Coordinates of all heavy atoms in Angstrom, one line a residue:
M295 N 108.7 113.0 110.7 CA 110.0 113.6 110.8 C 110.6 114.0 109.5 O 110.4 113.2 108.5 CB 111.0 112.7 111.6 CG 112.2 113.4 112.0 SD 113.3 112.4 113.1 CE 112.4 112.5 114.6
T296 N 111.2 115.1 109.4 CA 111.7 115.5 108.1 C 113.3 115.4 108.1 O 113.9 115.8 109.1 CB 111.3 117.0 107.8 OG1 109.9 117.1 107.8 CG2 111.9 117.5 106.5
Y297 N 113.9 115.0 107.0 CA 115.3 114.9 106.9 C 115.7 115.6 105.7 O 115.0 115.8 104.7 CB 115.7 113.4 106.8 CG 115.5 112.6 108.0 CD1 114.3 111.9 108.1 CD2 116.4 112.5 109.0 CE1 114.1 111.1 109.3 CE2 116.2 111.8 110.1 CZ 115.0 111.1 110.3 OH 114.8 110.4 111.4
S298 N 117.0 116.1 105.7 CA 117.6 116.7 104.5 C 118.8 115.9 104.2 O 119.7 115.7 105.0 CB 117.9 118.2 104.9 OG 118.6 118.8 103.8
I299 N 118.9 115.5 102.9 CA 120.1 114.7 102.5 C 120.5 115.3 101.1 O 119.7 115.8 100.4 CB 119.8 113.2 102.4 CG1 118.7 112.9 101.3 CG2 119.4 112.6 103.7 CD1 118.5 111.5 101.0
R300 N 121.8 115.1 100.9 CA 122.3 115.4 99.6 C 122.6 114.1 98.8 O 123.3 113.2 99.3 CB 123.7 116.2 99.7 CG 123.5 117.6 100.4 CD 124.8 118.3 100.3 NE 124.8 119.5 101.2 CZ 124.3 120.6 100.9 NH1 123.7 120.8 99.8 NH2 124.3 121.6 101.8
L301 N 122.1 114.1 97.6 CA 122.3 112.9 96.8 C 123.2 113.3 95.6 O 123.1 114.4 95.1 CB 120.9 112.4 96.2 CG 119.9 111.9 97.2 CD1 118.6 111.7 96.6 CD2 120.4 110.7 98.0
P302 N 124.0 112.3 95.2 CA 124.8 112.5 94.0 C 123.8 112.9 92.8 O 122.7 112.4 92.7 CB 125.5 111.2 93.7 CG 125.5 110.5 95.0 CD 124.2 111.0 95.7
H303 N 124.3 113.7 91.9 CA 123.5 114.2 90.8 C 122.8 113.0 90.0 O 121.6 113.1 89.7 CB 124.3 115.1 89.9 CG 123.5 115.7 88.7 ND1 122.6 116.6 88.9 CD2 123.5 115.4 87.4 CE1 122.0 116.9 87.8 NE2 122.6 116.2 86.8
E304 N 123.6 112.0 89.8 CA 123.1 110.8 89.0 C 121.9 110.2 89.7 O 120.9 109.8 89.1 CB 124.2 109.8 88.8 CG 123.8 108.5 88.1 CD 124.8 107.5 88.0 OE1 126.0 107.8 87.7 OE2 124.5 106.3 88.3
I305 N 122.0 110.0 91.0 CA 120.9 109.4 91.8 C 119.7 110.3 91.8 O 118.6 109.8 91.6 CB 121.4 109.1 93.3 CG1 122.6 108.2 93.3 CG2 120.2 108.6 94.1 CD1 122.3 106.8 92.6
E306 N 119.9 111.6 91.9 CA 118.8 112.6 91.9 C 118.1 112.5 90.6 O 116.9 112.5 90.5 CB 119.3 114.0 92.1 CG 118.3 115.1 92.0 CD 117.1 114.9 93.0 OE1 117.3 114.4 94.1 OE2 116.0 115.4 92.7
E307 N 118.8 112.4 89.5 CA 118.2 112.3 88.1 C 117.4 111.0 88.0 O 116.3 111.0 87.5 CB 119.3 112.3 87.0 CG 119.8 113.7 86.8 CD 120.9 113.7 85.7 OE1 121.4 112.6 85.3 OE2 121.2 114.8 85.3
R308 N 118.0 109.9 88.5 CA 117.2 108.6 88.5 C 116.0 108.7 89.3 O 114.9 108.2 88.9 CB 118.1 107.5 88.9 CG 119.3 107.1 88.0 CD 120.2 106.1 88.6 NE 119.6 104.9 88.9 CZ 120.2 103.9 89.6 NH1 121.4 104.1 90.1 NH2 119.5 102.8 89.9
L309 N 116.1 109.3 90.4 CA 114.9 109.4 91.3 C 113.8 110.3 90.7 O 112.6 109.9 90.7 CB 115.4 110.0 92.7 CG 114.4 110.0 93.8 CD1 113.9 108.6 94.1 CD2 115.1 110.6 95.1
E310 N 114.2 111.4 90.1 CA 113.3 112.3 89.4 C 112.6 111.6 88.3 O 111.4 111.7 88.1 CB 114.1 113.5 88.9 CG 113.2 114.5 88.2 CD 112.3 115.3 89.1 OE1 112.6 115.5 90.3 OE2 111.3 115.7 88.6
S311 N 113.4 110.8 87.5 CA 112.8 110.1 86.3 C 111.8 109.1 86.8 O 110.7 108.9 86.2 CB 114.0 109.4 85.6 OG 113.5 108.7 84.5
L312 N 112.2 108.3 87.8 CA 111.3 107.3 88.3 C 110.0 107.9 88.9 O 108.9 107.5 88.6 CB 111.9 106.5 89.5 CG 111.1 105.4 90.1 CD1 110.7 104.4 89.1 CD2 111.9 104.8 91.3
A313 N 110.1 109.1 89.5 CA 108.9 109.7 90.1 C 108.0 110.2 88.9 O 106.8 110.0 89.0 CB 109.3 110.9 91.0
I314 N 108.6 110.8 87.9 CA 107.8 111.2 86.8 C 107.1 110.1 86.1 O 105.9 110.1 85.7 CB 108.7 112.0 85.8 CG1 109.1 113.4 86.4 CG2 108.0 112.2 84.4 CD1 110.2 114.1 85.6
R315 N 107.9 109.0 85.8 CA 107.3 107.8 85.1 C 106.2 107.2 85.9 O 105.2 106.6 85.3 CB 108.4 106.8 84.9 CG 109.4 107.1 83.8 CD 110.2 105.9 83.4 NE 110.6 105.1 84.5 CZ 111.9 105.1 85.0 NH1 112.8 105.9 84.5 NH2 112.2 104.3 86.0
T316 N 106.2 107.2 87.2 CA 105.2 106.5 88.0 C 104.2 107.3 88.6 O 103.2 106.8 89.1 CB 105.9 105.7 89.1 OG1 106.6 106.6 90.0 CG2 106.9 104.7 88.5
G317 N 104.4 108.6 88.6 CA 103.4 109.5 89.2 C 103.5 109.6 90.7 O 102.5 110.0 91.4
R318 N 104.5 109.1 91.3 CA 104.7 109.1 92.7 C 105.8 110.1 93.0 O 106.5 110.5 92.2 CB 105.1 107.7 93.2 CG 104.1 106.7 93.1 CD 104.5 105.5 93.9 NE 103.5 104.4 93.9 CZ 102.6 104.2 94.8 NH1 102.6 104.9 95.9 NH2 101.8 103.1 94.7
S319 N 105.8 110.5 94.3 CA 106.8 111.5 94.7 C 108.2 110.9 94.9 O 108.3 109.7 95.2 CB 106.3 112.2 96.0 OG 106.4 111.3 97.1
K320 N 109.2 111.8 94.8 CA 110.5 111.3 95.1 C 110.6 110.9 96.6 O 111.3 109.9 96.9 CB 111.6 112.4 94.8 CG 111.7 112.8 93.3 CD 112.8 113.8 93.1 CE 112.4 115.1 93.5 NZ 113.4 116.2 93.2
S321 N 109.9 111.6 97.4 CA 109.9 111.2 98.9 C 109.4 109.8 99.1 O 109.9 109.1 99.9 CB 109.1 112.2 99.6 OG 109.6 113.5 99.6
F322 N 108.4 109.4 98.3 CA 107.9 108.1 98.4 C 109.0 107.1 98.2 O 109.1 106.1 98.9 CB 106.7 107.9 97.4 CG 106.3 106.4 97.3 CD1 105.3 105.9 98.2 CD2 106.8 105.6 96.3 CE1 104.9 104.6 98.2 CE2 106.4 104.3 96.3 CZ 105.4 103.8 97.2
Y323 N 109.8 107.3 97.1 CA 110.8 106.3 96.8 C 112.0 106.3 97.8 O 112.6 105.3 98.0 CB 111.3 106.5 95.3 CG 110.2 106.0 94.4 CD1 109.5 106.9 93.6 CD2 109.9 104.7 94.3 CE1 108.5 106.5 92.8 CE2 108.8 104.2 93.5 CZ 108.1 105.1 92.7 OH 107.1 104.7 91.9
V324 N 112.3 107.5 98.3 CA 113.4 107.6 99.3 C 112.9 106.8 100.5 O 113.7 106.0 101.1 CB 113.7 109.0 99.6 CG1 114.6 109.1 100.8 CG2 114.3 109.7 98.4
K325 N 111.7 107.0 100.9 CA 111.2 106.3 102.1 C 111.1 104.8 101.8 O 111.6 104.0 102.7 CB 109.7 106.8 102.4 CG 109.1 106.1 103.6 CD 107.7 106.7 103.9 CE 107.0 106.0 105.0 NZ 105.6 106.4 105.2
E326 N 110.7 104.4 100.7 CA 110.7 102.9 100.3 C 112.1 102.3 100.4 O 112.3 101.2 100.9 CB 110.1 102.7 98.9 CG 108.6 102.9 98.9 CD 107.8 101.9 99.7 OE1 108.0 100.7 99.5 OE2 107.1 102.4 100.6
A327 N 113.1 103.0 99.9 CA 114.4 102.6 99.9 C 115.0 102.4 101.3 O 115.6 101.4 101.6 CB 115.3 103.5 99.0
I328 N 114.7 103.3 102.1 CA 115.1 103.3 103.5 C 114.5 102.1 104.2 O 115.1 101.3 104.9 CB 114.9 104.6 104.3 CG1 115.8 105.7 103.7 CG2 115.0 104.4 105.8 CD1 115.4 107.1 104.2
I329 N 113.2 102.0 104.1 CA 112.4 100.8 104.7 C 113.0 99.5 104.2 O 113.2 98.6 105.0 CB 110.9 101.0 104.4 CG1 110.3 102.2 105.2 CG2 110.2 99.7 104.8 CD1 108.9 102.6 104.8
E330 N 113.2 99.4 102.9 CA 113.6 98.1 102.3 C 115.0 97.7 102.8 O 115.3 96.6 103.1 CB 113.7 98.3 100.8 CG 114.2 97.1 100.0 CD 113.3 95.9 100.1 OE1 112.0 96.1 100.3 OE2 113.7 94.8 100.0
H331 N 115.9 98.7 103.0 CA 117.3 98.3 103.3 C 117.7 98.5 104.8 O 118.7 98.1 105.2 CB 118.2 99.1 102.4 CG 118.1 98.7 101.0 ND1 118.6 97.6 100.5 CD2 117.5 99.3 100.0 CE1 118.3 97.5 99.2 NE2 117.6 98.5 98.9
L332 N 116.8 99.1 105.6 CA 117.2 99.3 107.0 C 117.4 98.0 107.7 O 118.3 97.8 108.5 CB 116.1 100.2 107.7 CG 116.4 100.6 109.1 CD1 117.7 101.4 109.2 CD2 115.3 101.5 109.6
S333 N 116.4 97.1 107.5 CA 116.6 95.8 108.1 C 117.9 95.0 107.7 O 118.5 94.4 108.5 CB 115.4 94.9 107.8 OG 114.2 95.4 108.4
E334 N 118.2 95.2 106.4 CA 119.4 94.6 105.9 C 120.6 95.2 106.6 O 121.6 94.4 107.0 CB 119.5 94.8 104.4 CG 120.6 94.1 103.8 CD 120.6 94.4 102.3 OE1 119.5 94.3 101.7 OE2 121.7 94.6 101.7
I335 N 120.7 96.5 106.8 CA 121.8 97.1 107.4 C 121.9 96.8 108.9 O 123.0 96.5 109.4 CB 121.7 98.7 107.2 CG1 121.8 99.0 105.8 CG2 122.7 99.4 108.1 CD1 121.5 100.5 105.4
E336 N 120.7 96.7 109.6 CA 120.7 96.3 111.0 C 121.2 94.8 111.1 O 122.0 94.6 112.0 CB 119.3 96.4 111.5 CG 118.8 97.8 111.7 CD 117.3 97.8 112.0 OE1 116.5 96.9 111.6 OE2 116.9 98.8 112.7
D337 N 120.8 94.0 110.2 CA 121.3 92.6 110.2 C 122.8 92.5 110.0 O 123.5 91.7 110.7 CB 120.6 91.7 109.2 CG 119.2 91.4 109.5 OD1 118.8 91.6 110.6 OD2 118.5 91.0 108.5
I338 N 123.4 93.3 109.2 CA 124.8 93.3 108.9 C 125.6 93.7 110.2 O 126.5 93.1 110.6 CB 125.2 94.3 107.8 CG1 124.7 93.6 106.5 CG2 126.7 94.5 107.7 CD1 124.8 94.6 105.3
Y339 N 125.1 94.8 110.9 CA 125.7 95.3 112.1 C 125.6 94.2 113.2 O 126.6 94.0 114.0 CB 125.2 96.6 112.5 CG 125.8 97.8 111.8 CD1 125.0 98.4 110.8 CD2 127.1 98.2 112.0 CE1 125.6 99.5 110.1 CE2 127.6 99.3 111.3 CZ 126.9 99.9 110.3 OH 127.5 100.9 109.6
L340 N 124.5 93.6 113.3 CA 124.3 92.5 114.3 C 125.3 91.4 114.0 O 125.9 90.9 115.0 CB 122.8 92.0 114.3 CG 122.5 90.9 115.3 CD1 122.8 91.3 116.7 CD2 121.1 90.4 115.1
A341 N 125.4 90.9 112.8 CA 126.3 89.9 112.4 C 127.7 90.3 112.7 O 128.5 89.4 113.3 CB 126.1 89.5 111.0
E342 N 128.1 91.5 112.4 CA 129.5 91.9 112.8 C 129.7 91.9 114.3 O 130.8 91.5 114.7 CB 129.7 93.3 112.2 CG 129.8 93.3 110.7 CD 129.9 94.7 110.1 OE1 129.6 95.7 110.8 OE2 130.2 94.8 108.9
K343 N 128.7 92.3 115.0 CA 128.9 92.3 116.5 C 129.0 90.9 117.0 O 129.8 90.6 117.9 CB 127.6 93.0 117.1 CG 127.6 93.0 118.6 CD 128.7 93.8 119.3 CE 128.5 93.8 120.8 NZ 129.7 93.5 121.5
R344 N 128.2 90.0 116.5 CA 128.2 88.6 116.9 C 129.6 88.0 116.6 O 130.2 87.3 117.4 CB 127.1 87.8 116.3 CG 125.8 88.1 116.7 CD 125.5 87.7 118.1 NE 124.1 88.0 118.5 CZ 123.8 88.9 119.4 NH1 124.7 89.7 120.0 NH2 122.5 89.1 119.6
L345 N 130.1 88.3 115.4 CA 131.4 87.8 115.0 C 132.5 88.3 115.9 O 133.4 87.6 116.3 CB 131.7 88.1 113.5 CG 133.0 87.6 113.0 CD1 133.1 86.1 113.1 CD2 133.2 88.1 111.5
E346 N 132.4 89.6 116.2 CA 133.4 90.2 117.2 C 133.3 89.5 118.5 O 134.4 89.2 119.1 CB 133.0 91.7 117.3 CG 133.9 92.4 118.3 CD 133.5 93.9 118.4 OE1 133.3 94.6 117.4 OE2 133.2 94.3 119.6
D347 N 132.1 89.2 119.0 CA 131.9 88.5 120.3 C 132.5 87.1 120.3 O 133.1 86.7 121.2 CB 130.5 88.5 120.7 CG 129.9 89.8 121.1 OD1 130.7 90.7 121.4 OD2 128.7 90.0 121.2
I348 N 132.3 86.4 119.1 CA 132.8 85.0 119.0 C 134.4 85.1 119.0 O 135.0 84.3 119.7 CB 132.3 84.4 117.7 CG1 130.8 84.1 117.9 CG2 133.1 83.1 117.4 CD1 130.1 83.7 116.6
R349 N 134.9 86.0 118.2 CA 136.4 86.1 118.1 C 137.0 86.5 119.5 O 138.1 86.1 119.8 CB 136.8 87.1 117.0 CG 136.5 86.5 115.7 CD 137.0 87.5 114.6 NE 136.9 86.9 113.3 CZ 136.8 87.5 112.1 NH1 136.9 88.8 112.1 NH2 136.7 86.9 111.0
A350 N 136.3 87.3 120.3 CA 136.8 87.7 121.5 C 136.5 86.7 122.7 O 136.9 86.9 123.8 CB 136.2 89.1 121.9
G351 N 135.8 85.6 122.3 CA 135.5 84.6 123.3 C 134.4 84.9 124.2 O 134.1 84.2 125.2
R352 N 133.6 85.9 123.9 CA 132.4 86.3 124.7 C 131.2 85.5 124.4 O 130.2 85.5 125.1 CB 132.1 87.8 124.5 CG 133.2 88.7 125.1 CD 132.8 90.2 125.0 NE 132.7 90.7 123.7 CZ 133.6 91.3 123.0 NH1 134.8 91.6 123.6 NH2 133.4 91.7 121.8
T353 N 131.2 84.8 123.2 CA 130.1 84.0 122.8 C 130.6 82.6 122.4 O 131.6 82.6 121.7 CB 129.4 84.7 121.6 OG1 128.9 86.0 122.0 CG2 128.2 83.9 121.1
K354 N 129.9 81.6 122.8 CA 130.3 80.3 122.4 C 129.5 79.8 121.2 O 128.4 80.3 121.1 CB 130.1 79.3 123.6 CG 131.0 79.6 124.8 CD 130.9 78.6 125.9 CE 131.7 79.1 127.0 NZ 132.3 78.0 127.7
T355 N 130.1 78.9 120.5 CA 129.4 78.4 119.3 C 129.1 76.9 119.5 O 129.7 76.3 120.3 CB 130.2 78.6 118.0 OG1 131.5 77.9 118.2 CG2 130.5 80.1 117.8
I356 N 128.2 76.4 118.7 CA 127.8 75.0 118.7 C 128.0 74.5 117.3 O 127.5 75.2 116.3 CB 126.4 74.8 119.2 CG1 126.2 75.3 120.6 CG2 126.0 73.3 119.1 CD1 124.7 75.3 121.0
S357 N 128.6 73.4 117.1 CA 128.8 72.8 115.8 C 127.5 72.4 115.1 O 126.5 72.1 115.8 CB 129.8 71.6 115.8 OG 129.1 70.5 116.4
L358 N 127.5 72.4 113.8 CA 126.3 72.1 113.1 C 125.9 70.6 113.4 O 124.7 70.3 113.6 CB 126.5 72.2 111.6 CG 125.4 71.7 110.6 CD1 124.1 72.5 111.0 CD2 125.8 71.9 109.2
Q359 N 126.9 69.8 113.6 CA 126.6 68.4 113.9 C 125.9 68.3 115.2 O 124.9 67.5 115.4 CB 127.9 67.5 113.9 CG 128.6 67.3 112.6 CD 129.4 68.6 112.2 OE1 129.6 69.5 112.9 NE2 129.8 68.6 110.9
K360 N 126.3 69.0 116.2 CA 125.6 69.0 117.5 C 124.2 69.5 117.4 O 123.3 69.0 118.1 CB 126.4 69.8 118.6 CG 127.7 69.1 119.0 CD 128.3 69.9 120.1 CE 129.6 69.2 120.6 NZ 130.3 69.9 121.6
V361 N 124.0 70.6 116.7 CA 122.6 71.1 116.5 C 121.7 70.1 115.8 O 120.6 69.8 116.2 CB 122.7 72.4 115.7 CG1 121.2 72.9 115.3 CG2 123.4 73.5 116.5
M362 N 122.3 69.5 114.8 CA 121.5 68.5 114.0 C 121.1 67.3 114.9 O 120.0 66.8 114.9 CB 122.2 68.0 112.8 CG 122.3 69.1 111.7 SD 123.2 68.6 110.3 CE 122.1 67.4 109.5
K363 N 122.1 66.9 115.7 CA 121.8 65.7 116.7 C 120.8 66.2 117.7 O 119.9 65.4 118.0 CB 123.1 65.3 117.3 CG 123.0 64.1 118.2 CD 124.3 63.7 118.7 CE 124.1 62.4 119.6 NZ 125.4 61.8 120.0
R364 N 120.9 67.3 118.3 CA 120.0 67.8 119.3 C 118.5 67.8 118.8 O 117.6 67.5 119.5 CB 120.4 69.3 119.7 CG 119.4 69.8 120.7 CD 119.7 71.3 121.1 NE 121.0 71.3 121.8 CZ 121.7 72.5 122.0 NH1 121.1 73.6 121.7 NH2 122.8 72.5 122.6
Y365 N 118.3 68.1 117.5 CA 117.0 68.2 116.9 C 116.6 67.0 116.1 O 115.6 67.0 115.4 CB 116.8 69.5 116.2 CG 116.9 70.7 117.0 CD1 118.1 71.5 117.1 CD2 115.8 71.1 117.8 CE1 118.1 72.6 118.0 CE2 115.9 72.1 118.7 CZ 117.0 72.9 118.8 OH 117.1 74.0 119.6
G366 N 117.4 65.9 116.3 CA 117.0 64.6 115.7 C 117.2 64.7 114.1 O 116.5 64.0 113.4
M367 N 118.1 65.5 113.7 CA 118.3 65.6 112.2 C 119.6 64.9 111.8 O 119.9 64.9 110.6 CB 118.4 67.1 111.8 CG 117.1 67.8 112.2 SD 117.2 69.6 112.0 CE 117.5 69.8 110.3
D368 N 120.2 64.2 112.7 CA 121.5 63.4 112.3 C 121.1 62.1 111.6 O 120.0 61.6 111.9 CB 122.3 63.2 113.5 CG 121.7 62.5 114.6 OD1 120.4 62.6 114.7 OD2 122.4 61.9 115.4
S369 N 121.9 61.7 110.7 CA 121.6 60.4 110.0 C 122.4 59.3 110.4 O 123.3 59.3 111.1 CB 121.7 60.7 108.5 OG 122.8 61.4 108.2

């Protein structure tokens, strides 16, 4: 799939410089950046959703002490 994006001039220059220094395409680095950070972004949205559910009372929590006791980690 092909995408078209506008990058700030400074980022475009950095990307161009990196591509020239390494002999790889700018597309390669754009793809690598997306792959690297997509999971991180997904995790942030999931965490925000979970926090919203907890605050709204839709999700129950368990204390760390109870978890540790359940798995025999209490001292």
Side-chain angles (χ1 to χ4, degrees):
M295 188 173 286
T296 302
Y297 294 92
S298 176
I299 62 170
R300 293 188 195 278
L301 297 172
H303 184 69
E304 177 185 315
I305 300 300
E306 176 62 30
E307 286 180 344
R308 290 173 60 194
L309 190 56
E310 179 73 26
S311 176
L312 180 61
I314 290 169
R315 286 192 319 257
T316 62
R318 293 193 180 257
S319 69
K320 293 186 287 184
S321 294
F322 171 83
Y323 289 110
V324 170
K325 181 179 174 184
E326 287 296 303
I328 291 170
I329 290 168
E330 178 70 25
H331 294 286
L332 188 58
S333 292
E334 184 178 321
I335 293 168
E336 290 170 332
D337 287 346
I338 290 168
Y339 280 104
L340 177 60
E342 289 173 346
K343 174 69 173 130
R344 294 290 184 250
L345 182 57
E346 180 183 305
D347 288 346
I348 289 168
R349 288 182 173 162
R352 293 185 294 264
T353 299
K354 296 187 183 215
T355 61
I356 301 173
S357 71
L358 176 60
Q359 292 79 12
K360 286 183 180 180
V361 171
M362 290 178 70
K363 185 174 182 176
R364 178 183 296 170
Y365 293 101
M367 300 170 64
D368 55 337
S369 38

